Amino acid sequence: QVQLAESGGGLVQTGGSLRLSCAASGRTVSTYSLGWFRQAPGKDRDFVAFITKSGDITYYANSVKGRFTISRDDAKNTVYLQMNSLKPEDTAVYYCAAATTGYNLSYSARYDYWGQGTQVTVSS
């Protein structure tokens, strides 16, 4: 079992940048596919990005493609989400998640473990 803890959220102006981190404990993340999701008030939890166990494949939601970058550092047991050119519509609670599977990683149901989330607010 793995525990996940996000950090790095905050308040930023439109066009700004943030880097979210998700630190894992209890088990090495190298055995998991890792993803980021977000949930805005009153909306469903949406897929943002994933990275495979080997780190050789990344995939992004169309809404963040070209602006966000997911990466992993297995030596530090951490996954990151670099967010650039932020927009007010990026405002949400951001969650990291770990999956034992390597398939259909755009779907939240494929993930086994979740962090508690970190708030990102982008002001206009």
Side-chain angles (χ1 to χ4, degrees), residues 95-117:
Y95 299 89
C96 67
T100 53
T101 185
Y103 300 98
N104 296 325
L105 292 171
S106 300
Y107 298 94
S108 59
R110 304 300 291 174
Y111 290 80
D112 304 286
Y113 305 102
W114 292 84
Q116 294 300 305

Side-chain angles (χ1 to χ4, degrees), residues 11 16 53-54 58 66 77-78 93 95 101 111:
L11 174 64
K53 295 177 188 180
S54 62
T58 58
N77 237 21
T78 301
V93 177
Y95 299 89
T101 185
Y111 290 80

Side-chain angles (χ1 to χ4, degrees), residues 42-104:
K43 295 189 177 181
D44 294 334
R45 188 171 298 188
D46 292 333
F47 166 74
V48 174
F50 73 71
I51 186 167
T52 54
K53 295 177 188 180
S54 62
D56 60 343
I57 296 174
T58 58
Y59 185 75
Y60 300 89
N62 287 335
S63 59
V64 307
K65 199 173 297 182
R67 300 188 297 123
F68 290 12
T69 303
I70 187 171
S71 61
R72 63 189 297 159
D73 186 339
D74 290 349
K76 294 183 178 181
N77 237 21
T78 301
V79 60
Y80 303 97
L81 186 68
Q82 177 67 44
M83 306 187 295
N84 299 328
S85 302
L86 283 162
K87 305 174 181 180
E89 50 263 44
D90 295 318
T91 295
V93 177
Y94 283 71
Y95 299 89
C96 67
T100 53
T101 185
Y103 300 98
N104 296 325

